[in-house]
Amino acid sequence: MTSIDLNADLGEGFGRWQLTDDERLLSVVTSANVACGFHAGDAPTMRRVCELAAARGVRIGAQVSYRDLAGFGRRAMDVPSAELTAEVAYQIGALEVFARAAGTRVSYVKPHGALYNRVVHDEEQAAAVVDGVLLADATLPVLGLPGSRLLRVAGKAGLEAVPEAFADRAYTEEGTLVPRDREGALVTDPEAVVERSLGLARDRAVTALSGARVEVEARSLCLHGDTPGAVELARRVRERLESSGVRVEAFA
């Protein structure tokens, strides 16, 4: 039977500001990418999300980012490799404290935003992220875009490299994500997201923005938690997958 993991970005709040409906999304997804304080998230939020995830048996992932609270981690930054390595390890370690207090642990690492896109092509920054993971916990899988430098470097370093796909983002013919500032980069029609999810899980393919068919081998499917109506959309995606014979389960 075909199987796939469903992950979502959670804990993306700070102080009184809350962006994602963490509790309801955790009733649907199988893996939670938890913001670790650099692009969003603070200590109380991280602790609360870890407790909720642990209670529901959802795997916890450290969503590491450039240090960019004001820009939500989506602004391009040039961070020296040694500094990035230390900051990745720092974020993983901070989340691990709350995961262990909740009776579980951090199960994987996923970069966020500008860092995610940068390590698709940038070997040096990808190596810095991998070194940060190795420094924090050399047993952690790394989640990223298929064919990215990040996954290649992670695999060479002995880490489990897990490819993921996006049902609510447009693709280029090269299999990369269309930049958010381009028209059509976000897939907003709920039925289109549901159909794309099924195609990615069952057929391992998606239609690019140009109309071309793109092969996408992925073990995890990301649904953005800050999308309007994210909870209901996630439910529809999971229901459609399961009713079509796709087993939804965590990869880690």
Side-chain angles (χ1 to χ4, degrees):
M1 179 184 289
T2 300
S3 66
I4 198 158
D5 170 62
L6 283 184
N7 78 75
D9 303 341
L10 301 178
E12 292 183 331
F14 194 84
R16 296 178 63 185
W17 173 61
Q18 298 295 323
L19 180 62
T20 50
D21 190 340
D22 299 326
E23 187 165 6
R24 294 173 66 204
L25 277 167
L26 283 167
S27 68
V28 183
V29 300
T30 47
S31 296
N33 317 313
V34 183
C36 299
F38 273 36
H39 73 281
D42 54 21
T45 301
M46 292 162 68
R47 182 179 184 182
R48 177 178 56 83
V49 175
C50 284
E51 289 172 346
L52 290 170
R56 290 160 176 75
V58 175
R59 301 295 187 270
I60 294 171
Q63 185 155 41
V64 298
S65 169
Y66 288 127
R67 188 187 292 269
D68 181 27
L69 275 175
F72 196 58
R74 288 180 175 162
R75 298 185 293 190
M77 303 182 76
D78 289 316
V79 179
S81 293
E83 183 177 337
L84 182 57
T85 291
E87 291 190 339
V88 166
Y90 178 92
Q91 292 174 78
I92 297 169
L95 188 63
E96 178 70 7
V97 168
F98 298 119
R100 288 193 178 275
T104 184
R105 63 184 295 270
V106 171
S107 296
Y108 64 95
V109 177
K110 174 183 173 177
H112 164 82
L115 181 58
Y116 187 98
N117 293 322
R118 180 77 172 264
V119 297
V120 171
H121 303 292
D122 191 317
E123 187 97 10
E124 184 177 343
Q125 292 280 278
V129 171
V130 169
D131 286 345
V133 177
L134 292 170
L135 182 59
D137 184 344
T139 70
L140 292 176
V142 175
L143 192 60
L145 201 69
S148 64
R149 297 295 177 93
L150 175 67
L151 293 191
R152 187 173 69 182
V153 173
K156 287 183 177 179
L159 299 174
E160 183 181 2
V162 181
E164 73 167 336
F166 294 80
D168 52 7
R169 291 292 306 277
Y171 279 79
T172 68
E173 292 186 19
E174 292 73 36
T176 58
L177 301 179
V178 174
R180 281 180 172 268
D181 58 359
R182 280 185 54 189
E183 185 177 355
L186 303 179
V187 181
T188 57
D189 177 59
E191 188 57 34
V193 173
V194 171
E195 289 301 319
R196 287 164 68 88
S197 299
L198 183 59
L200 285 162
R202 188 177 59 188
D203 305 325
R204 307 298 181 185
V206 69
T207 301
L209 193 59
S210 66
R213 176 185 168 92
V214 178
E215 302 292 329
V216 181
E217 287 291 336
R219 292 172 54 195
S220 186
L221 182 64
C222 179
L223 299 169
H224 283 95
D226 59 347
T227 301
V231 175
E232 183 57 32
L233 182 58
R235 285 197 179 116
R236 287 183 59 184
V237 167
R238 180 159 187 167
E239 288 171 358
R240 183 60 181 277
L241 290 173
E242 292 178 333
S243 67
S244 300
V246 177
R247 185 171 62 246
V248 178
E249 62 183 3
F251 70 83

